[in-house]
Amino acid sequence: MSVTSVTARVPAKINLQLAVGPPRPDGYHGLVTVFHAVSLFDEVTVVAARGDSVTVAGEGAEHVPADGDNLALRAVRALREAITDRDGVAPETGLDGRAGEGGRAGVAVAIRKRIPVAGGLAGGSADAAAALVACNALWRAELSQSDLCEVAGRVGSDVAFAVVGGTAVGRGRGEQLTQALVAPVTYHWVLAFADGPLSTPAVYRTLDRLRGDAAVGEPELSAELMTALRAGDAVRLGAALSNDLQAPALAMFPALGKTLAAGREFGALGALVSGSGPTCLFLARDDRHATDLAVALSGEGVCRSVVKATGAVPGASLIAR
Ligand code: C5P
């Protein structure tokens, strides 16, 4: 049987540091961030079809736009444009060398979500990255990872990191990546999902409002954090976690204060709002401690649900079906 379908899986990200500068003229904020990919995955399948379409199933699927605004579909279009610019013609075929139904290289995208929507874990960006990697294979386009990252940067600030994974420093809007020098250590995390979403643009606006007229310097990479990562020292890493979006996320979602406090009380090495929230993340000593923390947090009723995850894991990659 011919193969016209490709599936990629892609991890959620957390930010071990998120330092935010003043707003730029284009409305974005200059960042220095340390991205870290964790083992909570969405799956994206692309199938050659007559036109482009998207379906979404799983965690929070009803909140994901299933139209042209869907980030995965925007990624498909951006990749098609990049290939057309390079080759002078649009990609035309699926893996078996046949065009999609009706002869056009459309793509039906099917997203299976486990990463919560609007949770501060870059789930939408992850799906876009998976769509890029999957279409690159479906169209046999053979773009390199760095070419894919360039396309990714046009789709969203966090998409390039979801292509690369691991632990990386992000600058600019977050799309300019440098792989971080880290010890090959697996960290054990507990993620606490909140009841409800937070809008990323609204959290950035709240940060600007809270800062008011105060002078805001350019963001800088945390030396303590990088030292902890180089040493593979979970205790130091826990103490060095930081996020400038935590204060605005707490102002907009005060219940997160209780979630963070509960995690600290149960011995988390570090407790932090993830990205723009409202997911909270906790660093555990080891797998067993992560299980204890997860059970304790569930028992306290301070979040909707919890998952354990390890990091760092690789970025978007093809999986056999
Ligand atoms: O790039 P992305 O679409 O993921 O960003 C979502 C929103 O988050 C932006 O429209 C902007 O309001 C805010 N943002 C920002 N500065 C960044 C990244 C995102 O202000 N570096």
Side-chain angles (χ1 to χ4, degrees), residues 27-31 71 74 125 155-158 172-174 200-201 204:
Y28 285 90
H29 294 70
L31 303 180
L71 222 48
R74 281 167 47 192
S125 301
V155 180
S157 308
D158 294 337
R173 287 185 289 126
T200 300
Y204 274 101

Side-chain angles (χ1 to χ4, degrees), residues 56-77:
V56 189
E59 164 87 33
E62 63 282 11
H63 302 299
V64 181
D67 56 20
D69 282 344
N70 184 283
L71 222 48
L73 273 191
R74 281 167 47 192
V76 169
R77 288 198 299 268

